[in-house]
Amino acid sequence: MRAFFGFRVDKESMGEFLRTSPELAAHIQAAAEQIATGARSQGHRVTSGELLPIEVLEDPGPDRVGFTVAVKHPAGMGMEAKHGVLTRAAEAVGLDVHGIDTHHDT
């Protein structure tokens, strides 16, 4: 017999929670801030000598709260490619990081 016989997810309520919960938003923002702090602590610098600028941006989707950790500098893509600045910081806080899946099943 199944452990959750008759269990049904209330998709409408779950959607409401994912879109509007201030507690969920606070936890997700805190995780993003942890990642940004870890990335900044790596000490990478741009050609001007300034630290690589890493920001946390509110980035909600149509169906959920969201935050993005971003390197808003032209050197950002190169720093990620060469040093894995954001990937390493995310993995350090326990996230499982994967690249963008460019193979789409159609």
Side-chain angles (χ1 to χ4, degrees):
M1 181 177 231
R2 295 188 322 227
F4 290 106
F5 180 74
F7 178 80
R8 208 174 103 219
V9 174
D10 181 345
K11 292 179 183 178
E12 188 174 319
S13 293
M14 185 56 69
E16 174 84 10
F17 172 75
L18 291 172
R19 283 188 307 279
T20 64
S21 169
E23 294 87 0
L24 177 64
H27 284 290
I28 293 172
Q29 184 175 15
E33 293 290 351
Q34 260 189 305
I35 294 164
T37 298
R40 289 182 196 113
S41 73
Q42 295 173 33
H44 295 288
R45 297 186 178 273
V46 297
T47 54
S48 68
E50 294 181 30
L51 285 172
L52 185 65
I54 298 166
E55 299 180 36
V56 174
L57 309 167
E58 190 169 8
D59 188 20
D63 59 349
R64 66 184 52 92
V65 65
F67 290 86
T68 294
V69 182
V71 179
K72 292 180 74 176
H73 188 277
M77 286 177 50
M79 289 284 193
E80 181 61 27
K82 184 174 182 178
H83 304 289
V85 175
L86 298 176
T87 300
R88 290 176 53 202
E91 288 173 341
V93 298
L95 296 177
D96 187 16
V97 180
H98 299 279
I100 296 173
D101 182 10
T102 58
H103 303 287
H104 301 286
D105 294 332
T106 52

